[in-house]
Amino acid sequence: MTDNLAQQIERVGAQLAQAQVVACMTGAGISAESGVATFRGGGGLWEGHRVEDVATPQAFARDPELVWRFYQMRREGLLTCRPNPAHIALAELEQRCPRFDLITQNVDGLHQAAGSRNVTALHGDIWIDRCTACTHEQRAVGVVADMPRCASCGALARPGIVWFGEMLPPGALEHAAEAVSAADVMLVIGTSSVVQPAASLALMAKSTGAVVVEINLEPTPLSASADVTLLGQAGEIMPQIVAAMSQ
Ligand code: OAD
């Protein structure tokens, strides 16, 4: 680690220790060290699958079995994934901040598994089955071969995630916008910051006076507007930031 990065981490730790309201946006990169594939770049999740074949409402209407096979495969891959030190550091940060809002684009449930409580899952939750007829939602019973059916009315269920071209869960964006507007510090971790409306939340935080701290392996379109971009693995940097709060 360069001195420069160590100094930046110390400064961010001190800012967090002073903050009354902290917001955090996470993306696929925070789960990469847990073994979950990211979307863009080599090894991305959509490799071998055209998005429009598996992640749109039209695809599900056309071939629900294909779409369910894909999501059961994703669920199966997640069964062996565990929260990494970055997820765990965020759960600890939540305990230490008077107000802490975690907004995630991830559907993998690893923040909740790490102990985070106040989580807004902007793109839904892969472990939810949602009825296509009555909109009843139920937790998935694990990975199953048959297409899940609604426990309430018996109709076909679908994965409870946001597909391309769909609206975000009701109220999720409004809640996230309120949280980032109130924030003194906003952390943006492991997201390429190219998918809207999630990407605009950090700019909203900046415009309402928050210090915006980005943590990523590489610069992103947000980097020009962020107060600081810490380049490196979230699983290494986040525990150091939380430790620096006590110094
Ligand atoms: P991306 O795959 O677009 O970006 C992942 C980011 O994480 C990249 O900028 C990487 O450089 C960074 N990264 C990778 N490993 C990292 C590590 N160990 N530590 C820190 N950073 C790391 O994922 P998202 O930005 O989350 O939407 O993608 C946003 C949305 O695009 C997803 O939620 C999904 C997709 O379309 C839906 O499914 C609706």
Side-chain angles (χ1 to χ4, degrees):
M1 184 167 54
T2 62
D3 274 341
N4 196 23
L5 180 58
Q7 286 163 357
Q8 288 172 325
I9 287 172
E10 262 178 41
R11 206 169 312 124
V12 173
Q15 285 164 330
L16 285 172
Q18 296 289 319
Q20 291 299 307
V21 183
V22 175
C24 178
M25 162 67 74
T26 64
I30 196 168
S31 294
E33 291 160 74
S34 296
V36 184
T38 59
F39 292 90
R40 295 171 183 81
L45 177 71
W46 307 112
E47 246 176 46
H49 293 275
R50 294 189 326 146
V51 163
E52 53 272 29
D53 288 342
V54 289
T56 62
Q58 294 78 7
F60 189 72
R62 199 167 50 234
D63 193 345
E65 280 194 297
L66 171 79
V67 172
W68 262 120
R69 267 202 307 281
F70 174 74
Y71 282 96
Q72 296 290 7
M73 191 183 73
R74 281 187 70 188
R75 284 178 177 176
E76 199 167 0
L78 287 172
L79 287 176
T80 52
C81 294
R82 298 283 170 268
N84 68 53
H87 297 108
I88 293 164
L90 285 180
E92 191 183 334
L93 186 56
E94 180 171 5
Q95 298 296 316
R96 297 177 61 161
C97 294
R99 177 174 173 192
F100 182 85
D101 288 89
L102 178 50
I103 302 145
T104 187
Q105 298 168 80
N106 300 344
V107 298
D108 55 33
L110 289 175
H111 285 302
Q112 294 86 342
S116 286
R117 293 276 164 267
N118 190 14
V119 183
T120 300
L122 272 190
H123 293 166
D125 181 340
I126 197 171
W127 296 105
I128 295 285
D129 295 338
R130 186 163 78 234
C131 181
T132 54
C134 73
T135 70
H136 170 76
E137 291 190 349
Q138 60 205 32
R139 281 216 79 75
V141 292
V143 179
V144 290
D146 295 334
M147 290 196 289
R149 302 228 146 236
C150 175
S152 175
C153 77
L156 183 63
R158 54 161 282 178
I161 69 164
V162 176
W163 281 325
F164 291 90
E166 290 189 315
M167 305 283 284
L168 299 186
L173 187 61
E174 293 75 4
H175 174 79
E178 188 280 321
V180 305
S181 302
D184 303 314
V185 179
M186 178 163 182
L187 303 174
V188 183
I189 308 173
T191 174
S192 55
S193 290
V194 294
V195 172
Q196 298 296 355
S200 62
L201 289 168
L203 299 177
M204 191 181 288
K206 178 84 187 153
S207 72
T208 49
V211 173
V212 175
V213 179
E214 181 181 41
I215 297 158
N216 203 301
L217 294 181
E218 59 191 20
T220 72
L222 174 66
S223 304
S225 312
D227 291 280
V228 57
T229 296
L230 306 180
L231 292 178
Q233 307 237 60
E236 288 176 11
I237 291 177
M238 275 315 299
Q240 293 179 54
I241 288 179
V242 174
M245 289 174 73
S246 311
Q247 283 167 9

